[in-house]
Amino acid sequence: MSGELSTNINIKEPRWDQGTFMGRAKHFFMVTDPRNVLLSSETLEEARVIVHNYRAGVVKPGLTEDELWRAKYIYDSAFHPDTGEKMLVIGRMSAQVPMNMFITGSMLTFYRTTPAVVFWQWVNQSFNAIVNYTNRSGDAPITVNQLGAAYVSATTGAVVTALGLKSLTTRLPPIVSRFVPFAAVAAANCINIPFMRQRELKYGIPVTDENGNRLGESANAAKQAIVQVVVSRIGMAVPAMAIPPVIMNALEKRAFMKRFPILNAPIQVGLVGLCLVFATPLCCALQYPDLIFCHKPVVPKLNRKEI
């Protein structure tokens, strides 16, 4: 029918060129859009139907290319790429900004007492465990033992690091102690991610050449991928956990904040959220999309000698 949308658009891949940083940044600004968390079940189901029908060669009458891509990103934000099942809300990428805004803001606000440090580090690692479970591979699922080991190890590492550094900073300027939560989160990422992806280190991950031809599995590629993920995850935390403490340290010296200390938490959470809105997609864009989660990690443009 004249004017009908072509069925040749490849919606299995991102809309923008993933070989460039800008293309990946545009992709992740869509993937991490926190507004998708608020979408109704009806909207999600409509997007699912549009995507499934389009892949089957059925185009909704009047559907435009922009509407198709919008449906694709709504679908991707809520449904698992391997199983097609609707994911837990707080485990979706679109929930990363609001969830981390609340958790990180709380870690930076309540860092002075030992019980608060332990509690918020535990909450953070529990959230990470939910995200890892939600985005587990459909082809090679993470076992309960792997999830449990990663969770216990990351939580222990984060708490020990936080409490150890907290005790060392008692004689240092107050601003230094504000960065203890960041150090704990960085340490936990260094422990958690390799644990979660230990199967890839042992058996390798699929690698392809520049034409998309699968060359096999590579343990070396898995090491590269995991390093990239660790660096990216820590990079995501830097703006949100480094900039607000400096600003809050200055604000708390002002008479206004001394008069209304109850504003400390909401201001800090707001600052963290502002940083995360930009830091999350931009740091995700430092690596290829498939390397971020545990499902189908692929390192492109490797030749046989590099496997």
Side-chain angles (χ1 to χ4, degrees), residues 124-134 147 151 192:
N124 186 49
Q125 294 310 317
S126 297
F127 169 64
N128 288 338
I130 292 173
V131 172
N132 290 330
Y133 175 79
T134 303
L147 281 169
Y151 173 60
N192 186 35

Side-chain angles (χ1 to χ4, degrees), residues 93-158:
M93 275 300 286
S94 54
Q96 289 295 296
V97 171
M99 289 299 299
N100 279 317
M101 178 177 73
F102 172 70
I103 295 173
T104 302
S106 297
M107 283 195 292
L108 294 177
T109 301
F110 308 107
Y111 66 93
R112 290 184 173 89
T113 66
T114 297
V117 169
V118 173
F119 175 75
W120 285 109
Q121 289 296 334
W122 169 74
V123 169
N124 186 49
Q125 294 310 317
S126 297
F127 169 64
N128 288 338
I130 292 173
V131 172
N132 290 330
Y133 175 79
T134 303
N135 293 281
R136 66 197 183 282
S137 172
D139 294 336
I142 303 169
T143 66
V144 174
N145 288 339
Q146 285 177 307
L147 281 169
Y151 173 60
V152 172
S153 300
T155 303
T156 302

Side-chain angles (χ1 to χ4, degrees), residues 41-266:
S41 297
E42 291 76 16
T43 301
L44 296 178
E45 179 60 23
E46 181 182 4
R48 188 189 70 81
V49 171
I50 290 174
V51 170
H52 281 206
N53 285 348
Y54 186 83
R55 288 174 178 173
V58 179
V59 180
K60 178 182 176 182
L63 184 70
T64 67
E65 184 173 350
D66 285 340
E67 289 172 341
L68 173 63
W69 282 110
R70 173 61 179 159
K72 177 237 180 345
Y73 276 104
I74 289 176
Y75 174 80
D76 288 349
S77 75
F79 296 90
H80 195 282
D82 292 340
T83 65
E85 297 176 356
K86 187 181 291 186
M87 296 185 287
L88 295 170
V89 173
I90 64 174
R92 302 172 189 172
M93 275 300 286
S94 54
Q96 289 295 296
V97 171
M99 289 299 299
N100 279 317
M101 178 177 73
F102 172 70
I103 295 173
T104 302
S106 297
M107 283 195 292
L108 294 177
T109 301
F110 308 107
Y111 66 93
R112 290 184 173 89
T113 66
T114 297
V117 169
V118 173
F119 175 75
W120 285 109
Q121 289 296 334
W122 169 74
V123 169
N124 186 49
Q125 294 310 317
S126 297
F127 169 64
N128 288 338
I130 292 173
V131 172
N132 290 330
Y133 175 79
T134 303
N135 293 281
R136 66 197 183 282
S137 172
D139 294 336
I142 303 169
T143 66
V144 174
N145 288 339
Q146 285 177 307
L147 281 169
Y151 173 60
V152 172
S153 300
T155 303
T156 302
V159 170
V160 170
T161 301
L163 294 181
L165 292 177
K166 182 176 179 295
S167 65
L168 294 175
T169 58
T170 52
R171 299 179 182 178
L172 297 175
I175 183 64
V176 177
S177 60
R178 289 180 179 271
F179 292 97
V180 169
F182 168 69
V185 168
N189 276 320
C190 292
I191 297 169
N192 186 35
I193 295 169
F195 254 101
M196 287 297 301
R197 305 180 76 158
Q198 57 185 293
R199 185 182 184 282
E200 297 167 20
L201 288 172
K202 183 176 181 180
Y203 298 106
I205 61 175
V207 293
T208 62
D209 60 19
E210 63 275 8
N211 298 317
N213 299 314
R214 182 164 173 162
L215 303 177
E217 283 71 36
S218 169
N220 289 330
K223 294 175 183 177
Q224 294 177 31
I226 290 170
V227 169
Q228 287 184 45
V229 173
V230 171
V231 171
S232 179
R233 291 281 179 87
I234 294 175
M236 287 183 208
V238 169
M241 303 192 79
I243 297 175
V246 175
I247 296 176
M248 291 305 299
N249 191 61
L251 287 178
E252 287 178 3
K253 297 177 182 178
R254 303 298 178 93
F256 178 78
M257 289 297 293
K258 291 181 179 179
R259 185 178 178 184
F260 300 102
I262 195 173
L263 295 177
N264 187 303

Side-chain angles (χ1 to χ4, degrees), residues 15-44:
R15 185 173 190 177
W16 298 277
D17 180 12
Q18 298 302 284
T20 67
F21 175 79
M22 187 58 67
R24 295 193 296 272
K26 290 179 180 179
H27 169 72
F28 281 112
F29 268 107
M30 292 292 291
V31 170
T32 62
D33 188 344
R35 294 174 297 179
N36 286 344
V37 174
L38 303 176
L39 296 176
S40 65
S41 297
E42 291 76 16
T43 301
L44 296 178

Side-chain angles (χ1 to χ4, degrees), residues 142 181 204 283 299:
I142 303 169
C283 288
V299 179

